[in-house]
Amino acid sequence: MEEGTSEFPRHRTGTEAVGPAPCVDDYAYDARQWDTREDCEVRQILDRIADKWSLLVIALLDCQGLRFTELRREVDGISQRMLTKTLRQLERDGLVSRTVHPTVPPRVDYALTPLGSTLHATIQALVTWTERHQSEIATARAAYDAREAVGSAGAAAPALEAATTPVDHRA
Amino acid sequence: MEEGTSEFPRHRTGTEAVGPAPCVDDYAYDARQWDTREDCEVRQILDRIADKWSLLVIALLDCQGLRFTELRREVDGISQRMLTKTLRQLERDGLVSRTVHPTVPPRVDYALTPLGSTLHATIQALVTWTERHQSEIATARAAYDAREAVGSAGAAAPALEAATTPVDHRA
DNA sequence: CAGAATCCTTGGAGATACTG
DNA sequence: CAGTATCTCCAAGGATTCTG
């Protein structure tokens, strides 16, 4: 369990010095060199919270509890199965708490734990970033697609065809 | 379907306050009600950058460029196919730049664009969070699994078998 | 209402071979 | 080296049904 806590794994083979000096950062030395191995626990956790549903649930779930159905309504597009599964995982990771009220119509409240709240802040930053830069991304996409179209006009260079049909609506 | 408590959030174009407006704030102010609909562009982008490979690539890619092979080595476990695809997407979104050096052995450098750098900071925060809290998560998981084992021993309470272990469809 | 169990489809993703 | 093009496979995930 203590494989990559604060160590610099440095598993990049130094056969070729492409630029040993890291970024311009001199304060944060491990700015980029965390443990990237698949079996690393950080990777494992990251792969889990980097899940679209987990991310959305945490982003939407705030300190006050939400019921199952409320969550399902909030997280648009999620199926009951995925919501349950996602919530179970998050509960297991200690990020959300599950409170069952033994009423006649069952009522279950989900809320962020203190640990989950700290993650919520970080994820919220990601959401905010997206909101802020969505126009830039849209512009970049349009430019890319335009270039793409021109390039494929002269020579057949197919790659990433999602050009003029961005909306991928699956029935 | 009450529309008083939970109605569909509207498009909030980037004029909102980016500052921390936690849940303890007033209710009418939808600090956490960004557009959650699937067809929303924010969701679209979020679903993309919340991809495990995209996240890793951006996290590892820093301001200096990395070659294709270097990236493949860094992002442990990624296949060539996925790396190419991920890079194309990120390039299309204007997050990474692709520089081809027309040398005899082809050399392609990938680097973060200014826009990508801003995202890198946010994602790095996520990585840092994970590094910091991995032990807490591990503890929570152990506790959950312990409870789980006890619960399923006494009464029928099946749910989420240890996710780290492969599928266990008990007949 | 909250969830468990089941069935079934899609596409994500690895492996391999080929090219410039 | 840096891709592209295929083939294949498996599991993520949706839809449906059935309970307490």
Side-chain angles (χ1 to χ4, degrees):
Chain A
M1 300 21 174
E2 303 276 332
E3 42 192 34
T5 50
S6 301
E7 300 271 1
F8 314 107
R10 276 261 178 241
H11 70 96
R12 50 180 305 197
T13 53
T15 56
E16 180 187 354
V18 64
C23 212
V24 286
D25 302 326
D26 42 308
Y27 57 95
Y29 192 55
D30 62 335
R32 179 185 125 239
Q33 286 305 59
W34 46 285
D35 199 334
T36 57
R37 283 166 302 185
E38 266 192 306
D39 56 298
C40 173
E41 196 180 343
V42 173
R43 270 287 299 271
Q44 228 89 59
I45 299 173
L46 218 49
D47 289 354
R48 174 142 304 165
I49 64 179
D51 169 61
K52 58 178 284 190
W53 294 133
S54 301
L55 209 112
L56 278 173
V57 166
I58 294 185
L60 288 172
L61 212 54
D62 225 327
C63 45
Q64 87 283 7
L66 280 183
R67 302 178 56 171
F68 188 84
T69 312
E70 290 173 341
L71 265 173
R72 181 153 60 158
R73 216 179 308 128
E74 293 279 358
V75 185
D76 185 48
I78 197 172
S79 65
Q80 175 272 329
R81 175 182 158 84
M82 275 303 105
L83 181 55
T84 301
K85 195 178 163 191
T86 301
L87 286 171
R88 285 291 180 284
Q89 283 171 169
L90 295 178
E91 186 193 359
R92 179 169 179 258
D93 289 351
L95 296 170
V96 307
S97 64
R98 179 171 176 268
T99 314
V100 182
H101 298 106
T103 67
V104 171
R107 179 197 178 99
V108 180
D109 281 299
Y110 291 94
L112 289 181
T113 63
L115 178 61
S117 288
T118 65
L119 178 57
H120 175 267
T122 306
I123 286 182
Q124 187 57 46
L126 208 66
V127 175
T128 303
W129 183 94
T130 304
E131 284 179 326
R132 276 190 156 173
H133 299 280
Q134 59 169 317
S135 60
E136 300 178 59
I137 290 180
T139 304
R141 285 182 180 177
Y144 183 94
D145 294 343
R147 257 175 292 156
E148 182 62 26
V150 171
S152 56
L160 205 75
E161 85 283 354
T164 49
T165 56
V167 184
D168 178 22
H169 211 80
R170 48 191 187 258
Chain B
M1 191 92 45
E2 311 290 313
E3 62 251 29
T5 50
S6 60
E7 63 178 333
F8 275 111
R10 354 208 152 283
H11 258 88
R12 306 170 54 208
T13 43
T15 51
E16 83 289 341
V18 296
C23 44
V24 283
D25 241 48
D26 50 308
Y27 281 59
Y29 184 58
D30 55 344
R32 80 157 212 290
Q33 290 302 54
W34 44 285
D35 199 333
T36 57
R37 282 167 302 184
E38 270 192 303
D39 56 297
C40 171
E41 196 181 346
V42 173
R43 269 287 300 271
Q44 228 87 60
I45 299 173
L46 217 49
D47 289 354
R48 174 143 303 166
I49 65 179
D51 169 60
K52 57 178 284 189
W53 295 133
S54 301
L55 209 113
L56 279 173
V57 166
I58 293 183
L60 289 172
L61 214 53
D62 223 326
C63 40
Q64 87 284 7
L66 281 182
R67 302 177 56 171
F68 188 84
T69 312
E70 288 172 344
L71 265 174
R72 181 154 61 158
R73 214 180 308 128
E74 293 280 356
V75 185
D76 187 46
I78 198 173
S79 67
Q80 175 274 332
R81 176 182 157 82
M82 277 302 107
L83 181 55
T84 300
K85 194 176 164 192
T86 302
L87 286 170
R88 284 293 179 284
Q89 283 171 169
L90 295 177
E91 186 193 359
R92 178 170 181 257
D93 289 351
L95 297 170
V96 307
S97 64
R98 178 170 177 268
T99 313
V100 182
H101 298 106
T103 67
V104 171
R107 179 197 177 99
V108 180
D109 281 298
Y110 291 94
L112 289 181
T113 63
L115 178 61
S117 287
T118 65
L119 178 57
H120 175 267
T122 307
I123 285 182
Q124 186 58 45
L126 208 65
V127 175
T128 302
W129 184 94
T130 305
E131 284 179 325
R132 279 193 160 158
H133 299 281
Q134 60 169 317
S135 60
E136 299 178 60
I137 290 181
T139 303
R141 285 182 180 177
Y144 183 92
D145 293 344
R147 257 175 293 156
E148 183 61 28
V150 172
S152 56
L160 195 75
E161 59 251 4
T164 49
T165 60
V167 286
D168 175 46
H169 268 135
R170 32 179 295 192

